[in-house]
Amino acid sequence: MTETREFKTEVRQLLQLMIHSLYSNRDIFLRELIANAADALDKARFESLTDPASAREWKISIVPDKEKKTLTICDNGIGMKADEVVENIGTIAKSGTKAFLKMLEEKGEKSGDLPELIGQFGVGFYSAFMVASPVELITRKGDEPAVCWSSTGEGEYTISEAERDEPGTSIVLHLNDDAEIYLENWKIAEIVHRYSDFIAYPIIMPEVKIGEDKKETQTERILNSQKAIWLRKPSEITEDEYKSFYTHLSNFGGTEYLKAIHMTAEGASEFKALLFLPKQAPFNLLMPDIQKKGLQLYIKRMFITDECKELLPDYLRFVCGVVDSSDLPLNVSREILQQNPLLDKIRTAVTGKVISEMKKLLENDRENYEKFFAEFGRIVKEGLHTDRPNAEKLKDIVLYESMNTPAGKRITLKEYVDAMPESQQDIYYITGDKREAVASSPALEYFRSKGYDVLFMTDPIDEWVMQSMYQYAQKYFKSVIKGDFEDKEAEEKVKNAAEKFAPAAEFLQKTLAEKVSAVRFSGRLTDSPCCLIVDGQALSPHMERLFRAMNQEIPVSKRILELNGEHPLIAALNEKIAAEADEAELVRYVNVLYDQALLLEGSPLPDPAAFAKEVVTLLGEALKK
Ligand code: ADP
């Protein structure tokens, strides 16, 4: 019985794209199908650990048929049941397809390197339609009936009963006229060598040999070396081999990695690892599919799982790679394995290694490290809060922009401290949404006048991290928009201003009683008349905005309004009050003053239209005078 079904809309869109737009590197369809076959073999081999009767001679074969113009990719792996075929190949409720399409929309015409990204979005199977139509998939799982899935890649696919001698999957590609090159043995061998050499199962191609007696005999040729790249000497691995292995592993877009890290651990826990620092963050760093996968865990060259979160702390989730242990037990379930204390040891060692490699990169290749940090820094910073044992080491490798650096350039904490003038005691920072917003904060004025630098903490994570980061190099971190401000030199001036302009301060206090908790003079300002300061442990305006953006109810915390006693505006206000000017008019001035302070701290105005109107009215009145 044959049943016809329709593809989900996203799949249809994706197929159209595969068929019509992505030509630049069609070779990768074979890599994707081999990768799927290898995954299916991994799963079957893993099952055979507890069910030895199901063990087979695991392999992948690639069979070109020039007469029928078909290329068949065959594995004796786990196979699929009918409903799994529909689920995996027809519908795809995975976020990957949508994310992939969204990325295509954003990238528009520049789709040259897109085939490279297909695999990372979990849509590899469909790349078969770049070279073939129809595509048939015949599969069998255990003793379930075999099924045949078939489609021309347009709107529909069919599912029917089929025959298959042993469990596994065959994919029959009816090659398009312009894809006949994939029937050539040399072409197939070249692609396998290039992209799939390290696959742990033999990839076999039938071959005809002509003997000395001129007689033809059918033989088989193994196309891949099957050498586990992580067990090889780094000096013997080529750049291309690293690249194709990285592409195979990476959950992120792109084929470029920044650094390959080899590790050999001996002693308490013996393992080898090959890890990669990626170059580019994926389009959506927070995509759940991407987060789910971790390092691949092998035990004695046998793939166990890529969902073992215990191998790496969360804040290094951008690292991809393989860990191959020689002393974890093979024949236990994944769940039990994940409780094994040896995993903790591996995690500690791997974490330490990755941090030290990042440090080396910072020291030896600053330019690339800065680029890397721009992509992944905000994830690394999570570790400052969550990985206390490594927090000190992490402090050495985190970078921040600062008031004295040009936009986009970042410095280390050590560089900040080294540049501190003798009179400076603490490490100053300001938090906010973005550089432009914090750079114009009046709260920086004093520090600028003193020649002190201020770190710009503009990642959403920064403020959260700062709650547990008290010190670096025995210097305290201080937010320039929080708390009390001490400056011995300014003390006298501030005291005088407070006396001289007491009526102005009182008037402001009375008028803004609903909005601010206190009004006081300080030496913090040089150019602006006033600024808003966060009281003690209260949330900063930046943090408040973050909470609101997450729809969290938080109490309104009132700020302190600090005044600049040297500013002519304060003196003028004081004079007007002393001269008993029209109170209603003064209230209008005070409200505008408060609103502009809100703007400068980056907070939204409760009523921007009213503010704009009031400014215009006051300007008009001033011009008329
Ligand atoms: P991905 O492999 O990234 O998940 P694909 O579109 O390539 O995305 O494949 C979708 C799913 O179909 C796979 O996750 C797997 O469950 C199933 N699948 C594909 N090829 C095979 C195969 N040769 N054997 C068994 N299952 C397969």
Side-chain angles (χ1 to χ4, degrees), residues 537-589:
Q537 290 307 307
L539 289 177
S540 77
H542 176 54
M543 200 72 162
E544 278 185 5
R545 285 193 296 278
L546 287 179
F547 276 122
R548 294 217 173 91
M550 293 185 294
N551 275 331
Q552 294 222 16
E553 279 295 321
I554 41 158
V556 180
S557 62
K558 289 184 186 175
R559 313 248 188 282
I560 297 169
L561 183 71
E562 285 196 355
L563 306 177
N564 175 1
E566 314 255 286
H567 200 282
L569 197 146
I570 302 295
L573 184 68
N574 205 55
E575 244 171 63
K576 287 259 181 198
I577 292 164
E580 293 181 7
D582 176 13
E583 188 170 328
E585 190 184 342
L586 288 177
V587 166
R588 287 169 61 206
Y589 279 104

XYZ file of all heavy atoms in Angstrom, residues 537-589:
422
model
N 22.421 49.163 47.584
C 22.312 47.863 46.937
C 21.171 47.777 45.915
O 20.901 46.715 45.367
C 22.111 46.760 47.993
C 23.344 46.491 48.844
C 24.577 46.215 47.994
O 24.571 45.367 47.118
N 25.644 46.963 48.233
N 20.508 48.903 45.658
C 19.364 48.854 44.734
C 19.816 48.447 43.333
O 20.996 48.515 42.997
C 18.698 50.226 44.687
N 18.868 48.002 42.531
C 19.181 47.599 41.163
C 19.560 48.813 40.331
O 18.992 49.882 40.489
C 17.947 46.955 40.519
C 17.542 45.583 41.026
C 16.260 45.140 40.319
C 18.641 44.575 40.774
N 20.488 48.625 39.436
C 20.854 49.722 38.550
C 19.763 49.864 37.496
O 18.991 48.937 37.272
C 22.174 49.426 37.865
O 21.951 48.489 36.834
N 19.709 51.034 36.837
C 18.660 51.221 35.815
C 18.765 50.158 34.724
O 17.755 49.692 34.201
C 18.952 52.613 35.254
C 20.276 53.017 35.784
C 20.523 52.236 37.019
N 19.980 49.765 34.394
C 20.199 48.761 33.358
C 19.566 47.425 33.755
O 18.858 46.786 32.992
C 21.708 48.613 33.167
C 22.105 47.557 32.211
N 21.624 47.507 30.933
C 22.930 46.496 32.346
C 22.149 46.472 30.312
N 22.931 45.834 31.148
N 19.812 47.043 34.994
C 19.272 45.789 35.505
C 17.745 45.860 35.556
O 17.060 44.903 35.217
C 19.842 45.564 36.904
C 19.781 44.147 37.370
S 20.983 43.134 36.499
C 21.059 41.749 37.610
N 17.227 47.024 35.969
C 15.771 47.184 36.015
C 15.171 46.981 34.631
O 14.162 46.304 34.468
C 15.403 48.598 36.495
C 15.431 48.745 37.992
C 14.944 50.124 38.418
O 14.504 50.919 37.562
O 15.013 50.405 39.626
N 15.832 47.534 33.618
C 15.307 47.401 32.256
C 15.345 45.941 31.818
O 14.423 45.456 31.186
C 16.125 48.261 31.278
C 15.818 49.734 31.390
C 16.386 50.497 30.217
N 17.832 50.453 30.141
C 18.662 51.234 30.846
N 18.173 52.106 31.696
N 19.961 51.144 30.698
N 16.419 45.248 32.212
C 16.512 43.831 31.841
C 15.367 43.030 32.448
O 14.727 42.225 31.788
C 17.842 43.234 32.301
C 19.078 43.656 31.519
C 20.322 43.013 32.107
C 18.943 43.248 30.058
N 15.132 43.275 33.730
C 14.044 42.548 34.395
C 12.705 42.856 33.738
O 11.894 41.982 33.505
C 13.976 42.906 35.883
C 14.934 42.104 36.718
C 15.903 42.712 37.497
C 14.862 40.715 36.726
C 16.791 41.973 38.268
C 15.738 39.969 37.494
C 16.705 40.599 38.261
N 12.496 44.139 33.414
C 11.218 44.508 32.793
C 11.084 43.846 31.435
O 10.017 43.389 31.052
C 11.109 46.027 32.651
C 11.043 46.695 34.004
C 10.103 47.891 34.042
N 10.011 48.318 35.424
C 10.820 49.223 35.962
N 11.735 49.830 35.224
N 10.710 49.535 37.234
N 12.224 43.784 30.694
C 12.182 43.159 29.373
C 11.795 41.694 29.495
O 11.230 41.106 28.586
C 13.533 43.296 28.686
N 12.117 41.082 30.635
C 11.749 39.684 30.853
C 10.382 39.574 31.520
O 10.032 38.539 32.063
C 12.798 38.989 31.719
C 14.137 38.861 31.007
S 15.353 37.913 31.961
C 15.621 38.965 33.367
N 9.648 40.683 31.516
C 8.312 40.720 32.101
C 8.281 40.424 33.586
O 7.341 39.838 34.095
C 7.378 39.734 31.396
C 6.790 40.367 30.172
O 6.614 41.583 30.130
N 6.518 39.549 29.174
N 9.340 40.794 34.270
C 9.363 40.560 35.711
C 8.934 41.834 36.431
O 9.416 42.922 36.126
C 10.781 40.207 36.146
C 11.229 38.890 35.581
C 11.978 38.096 36.619
O 11.899 38.386 37.807
N 12.695 37.085 36.170
N 8.035 41.627 37.383
C 7.592 42.764 38.174
C 8.689 43.127 39.151
O 9.146 42.283 39.932
C 6.332 42.391 38.962
C 5.053 42.472 38.150
C 4.744 43.892 37.708
O 4.976 44.819 38.503
O 4.292 44.062 36.551
N 9.152 44.358 39.128
C 10.104 44.755 40.159
C 9.680 46.097 40.725
O 9.135 46.938 40.017
C 11.545 44.869 39.622
C 11.527 45.538 38.242
C 12.253 43.547 39.551
C 12.845 46.140 37.914
N 9.907 46.271 42.026
C 9.489 47.539 42.632
C 10.306 48.689 42.039
O 11.458 48.507 41.660
C 9.813 47.354 44.107
C 10.827 46.268 44.155
C 10.589 45.400 42.969
N 9.671 49.850 41.941
C 10.396 51.018 41.431
C 11.357 51.477 42.519
O 10.956 51.704 43.654
C 9.397 52.160 41.120
C 10.135 53.369 40.587
C 8.346 51.667 40.149
N 12.630 51.551 42.203
C 13.553 52.044 43.223
C 13.911 53.487 42.882
O 14.229 53.820 41.750
C 14.804 51.169 43.284
O 15.485 51.226 42.062
N 13.824 54.306 43.899
C 14.087 55.729 43.666
C 15.581 56.000 43.647
O 16.332 55.403 44.418
C 13.438 56.543 44.782
C 11.937 56.581 44.707
C 11.450 57.507 45.800
C 9.940 57.485 45.902
N 9.504 58.297 47.050
N 15.992 56.900 42.796
C 17.410 57.245 42.716
C 17.723 58.461 43.584
O 16.824 59.190 44.009
C 17.783 57.607 41.292
C 17.287 56.652 40.291
C 18.415 55.905 39.643
N 17.834 55.148 38.546
C 17.170 54.020 38.711
N 17.043 53.491 39.903
N 16.642 53.415 37.695
N 19.022 58.665 43.730
C 19.469 59.892 44.397
C 19.820 60.886 43.301
O 20.477 60.520 42.329
C 20.725 59.604 45.245
C 20.381 58.594 46.349
C 21.303 60.887 45.822
C 21.595 58.040 47.059
N 19.370 62.112 43.462
C 19.731 63.133 42.481
C 20.946 63.885 43.011
O 20.885 64.508 44.073
C 18.560 64.095 42.261
C 18.794 65.163 41.199
C 18.806 64.567 39.790
C 17.735 66.258 41.281
N 22.047 63.774 42.295
C 23.249 64.494 42.739
C 23.427 65.769 41.917
O 23.247 65.768 40.702
C 24.485 63.594 42.614
C 24.511 62.546 43.714
C 25.877 61.890 43.875
O 26.799 62.162 43.069
O 26.009 61.098 44.812
N 23.796 66.838 42.630
C 23.905 68.141 41.975
C 25.357 68.603 41.893
O 26.177 68.285 42.753
C 23.107 69.187 42.763
C 21.638 68.863 43.035
C 21.029 69.981 43.893
C 20.868 68.717 41.736
N 25.608 69.384 40.870
C 26.932 69.942 40.660
C 26.917 71.400 41.118
O 26.337 72.273 40.468
C 27.253 69.838 39.162
C 28.567 70.489 38.791
O 29.277 71.009 39.662
N 28.887 70.455 37.508
N 27.547 71.657 42.258
C 27.536 72.997 42.840
C 28.243 74.035 41.989
O 28.113 75.241 42.205
N 29.014 73.585 41.011
C 29.769 74.521 40.177
C 28.997 74.906 38.915
O 29.472 75.691 38.108
C 31.081 73.868 39.718
C 31.831 73.157 40.808
C 33.034 73.947 41.262
O 34.015 73.963 40.503
O 32.969 74.569 42.348
N 27.864 74.291 38.737
C 27.149 74.517 37.483
C 26.279 75.776 37.558
O 25.514 75.952 38.511
C 26.280 73.304 37.141
C 25.913 73.250 35.690
N 24.936 74.029 35.153
C 26.427 72.532 34.655
C 24.840 73.791 33.856
N 25.754 72.873 33.529
N 26.352 76.651 36.525
C 25.583 77.910 36.567
C 24.076 77.678 36.678
O 23.362 78.501 37.260
C 25.923 78.595 35.232
C 26.619 77.580 34.389
C 27.202 76.567 35.323
N 23.620 76.559 36.167
C 22.178 76.310 36.209
C 21.677 76.175 37.652
O 20.594 76.650 38.003
C 21.868 75.039 35.418
C 20.426 74.825 34.996
C 20.387 74.133 33.648
C 19.645 74.018 36.012
N 22.494 75.530 38.469
C 22.096 75.355 39.876
C 22.078 76.718 40.578
O 21.159 77.039 41.338
C 23.062 74.375 40.592
C 23.076 73.018 39.873
C 22.697 74.197 42.071
C 21.776 72.248 39.896
N 23.109 77.518 40.270
C 23.172 78.855 40.870
C 21.957 79.690 40.439
O 21.323 80.368 41.262
C 24.463 79.550 40.453
N 21.604 79.589 39.158
C 20.482 80.362 38.630
C 19.171 79.938 39.278
O 18.341 80.768 39.661
C 20.406 80.198 37.111
N 19.018 78.639 39.429
C 17.809 78.105 40.057
C 17.697 78.631 41.483
O 16.632 79.060 41.953
C 17.857 76.571 40.035
C 16.631 75.840 40.563
C 15.446 76.055 39.629
C 16.900 74.341 40.714
N 18.828 78.599 42.167
C 18.874 79.062 43.547
C 18.448 80.534 43.642
O 17.674 80.913 44.518
C 20.290 78.878 44.087
C 20.289 78.760 45.598
O 19.598 77.899 46.143
N 21.014 79.653 46.247
N 18.972 81.302 42.704
C 18.647 82.728 42.689
C 17.146 82.963 42.518
O 16.524 83.749 43.212
C 19.354 83.392 41.516
C 20.375 84.426 41.923
C 21.171 84.877 40.719
O 20.556 85.452 39.793
O 22.399 84.592 40.693
N 16.590 82.244 41.559
C 15.152 82.379 41.283
C 14.330 82.045 42.514
O 13.345 82.720 42.821
C 14.731 81.424 40.152
C 15.202 81.860 38.788
C 14.055 82.511 38.029
C 14.529 82.920 36.646
N 13.659 83.892 36.025
N 14.758 80.982 43.194
C 14.001 80.565 44.381
C 14.101 81.639 45.454
O 13.109 82.032 46.070
C 14.504 79.204 44.897
C 14.132 78.117 43.878
C 13.917 78.864 46.263
C 14.878 76.828 44.047
N 15.327 82.151 45.630
C 15.534 83.201 46.627
C 14.692 84.430 46.280
O 14.166 85.108 47.163
C 17.021 83.557 46.704
N 14.547 84.696 44.983
C 13.782 85.868 44.558
C 12.290 85.591 44.496
O 11.510 86.384 43.968
C 14.291 86.337 43.190
N 11.917 84.406 45.004
C 10.513 83.995 45.052
C 9.823 84.095 43.695
O 8.771 84.716 43.536
C 9.756 84.789 46.112
C 10.261 84.428 47.493
C 9.529 85.159 48.602
O 8.539 85.842 48.306
O 9.947 85.018 49.749
N 10.440 83.506 42.712
C 9.877 83.493 41.360
C 8.625 82.613 41.326
O 8.339 81.887 42.275
C 10.910 82.964 40.374
N 7.926 82.655 40.225
C 6.688 81.891 40.059
C 6.952 80.395 40.238
O 7.702 79.780 39.476
C 6.145 82.174 38.653
C 4.905 81.341 38.374
O 4.349 80.768 39.340
O 4.522 81.262 37.188
N 6.356 79.806 41.273
C 6.666 78.418 41.620
C 6.272 77.449 40.516
O 7.011 76.516 40.190
C 5.994 78.048 42.942
C 6.455 76.683 43.405
C 6.014 76.357 44.819
O 5.912 77.274 45.650
O 5.773 75.165 45.073
N 5.104 77.687 39.930
C 4.627 76.777 38.874
C 5.634 76.694 37.729
O 5.894 75.623 37.181
C 3.273 77.238 38.365
N 6.245 77.850 37.417
C 7.212 77.857 36.322
C 8.474 77.077 36.714
O 9.020 76.297 35.936
C 7.559 79.303 35.967
C 8.364 79.392 34.681
C 8.805 80.818 34.375
O 8.220 81.760 34.943
O 9.746 80.968 33.579
N 8.910 77.275 37.963
C 10.106 76.565 38.422
C 9.901 75.053 38.406
O 10.801 74.284 38.065
C 10.478 77.028 39.835
C 11.058 78.448 39.924
C 11.323 78.829 41.369
C 12.342 78.560 39.108
N 8.690 74.648 38.770
C 8.395 73.212 38.781
C 8.580 72.636 37.379
O 9.114 71.544 37.202
C 6.953 72.961 39.303
C 6.498 71.531 39.003
C 6.876 73.232 40.800
N 8.180 73.412 36.396
C 8.343 72.935 35.012
C 9.822 72.739 34.675
O 10.225 71.747 34.087
C 7.703 73.929 34.031
C 6.169 73.878 34.072
C 5.555 75.027 33.312
N 5.919 75.009 31.905
C 5.955 76.106 31.138
N 5.678 77.287 31.636
N 6.280 76.009 29.877
N 10.658 73.696 35.084
C 12.099 73.569 34.838
C 12.678 72.329 35.525
O 13.465 71.585 34.953
C 12.838 74.818 35.329
C 12.771 75.961 34.338
C 11.934 77.047 34.547
C 13.557 75.927 33.178
C 11.859 78.087 33.631
C 13.492 76.967 32.259
C 12.642 78.042 32.481
O 12.582 79.047 31.574
